Amino acid sequence: MIGKLKGTIDEIGEDHVVLDVHGVGYVAHCSARTLAKLGRAGEAAVLFIETYVREDQLKLFGFLSALEREWFRLLQSVQGVGSKVALAVLSTLTPGELANAIALQDKTSISRAPGVGPKVAVRIVTELKNKAPAFAGEMAPSIGLKQELGEGVAAAPVSDAVVAAALKNGGEGADSARLIRLGLKELSR
């Protein structure tokens, strides 16, 4: 199983990159977002790899971060989402944006991805709702907070966390209007 490749970019195609690792060219299928951030031919690159072995093929999928690779795996756990749709979603949304969309039940953002219709978007949001904070990376605390507030059931500790963040940023002497603005700003992150 291949987990990571470090080499030189040979060529970048529409949906893949050929990465030369000590004279061997590996074709890794990537999201448009990953391909855009990779660089140009001749430059060094590192890709986290998801390897698929089937009866008739061996296919590599490349990602800039382990978190993006985990989202790729997680998306495919949803019924009706294969590798092509998972890459389309990751081409449209960053892992943080995807976690936010799931936490806030934002089916519209997810359905912007090519090949993702309303039914698939609903399944993604529904089936991954409780998993989003675990795969949000550094945004995990904010995602959990947004998820609770998105459901309209923010418990006292959640509300206290928003107030505490606003007080920290605005200072003890901040007026209520400023605290509200800062609290909303905290939620939008």
Side-chain angles (χ1 to χ4, degrees), residues 149-167:
L149 290 175
E151 293 174 352
V153 293
V158 174
S159 302
D160 292 346
V162 173
V163 172
L167 283 172

Side-chain angles (χ1 to χ4, degrees), residues 4-28:
K4 180 177 165 184
L5 291 174
K6 184 177 184 180
T8 306
I9 299 170
D10 239 7
E11 68 178 69
I12 296 179
E14 188 176 308
D15 66 345
H16 69 279
V17 61
V18 177
L19 197 63
D20 184 315
V21 180
H22 301 292
V24 178
Y26 292 90
V27 176

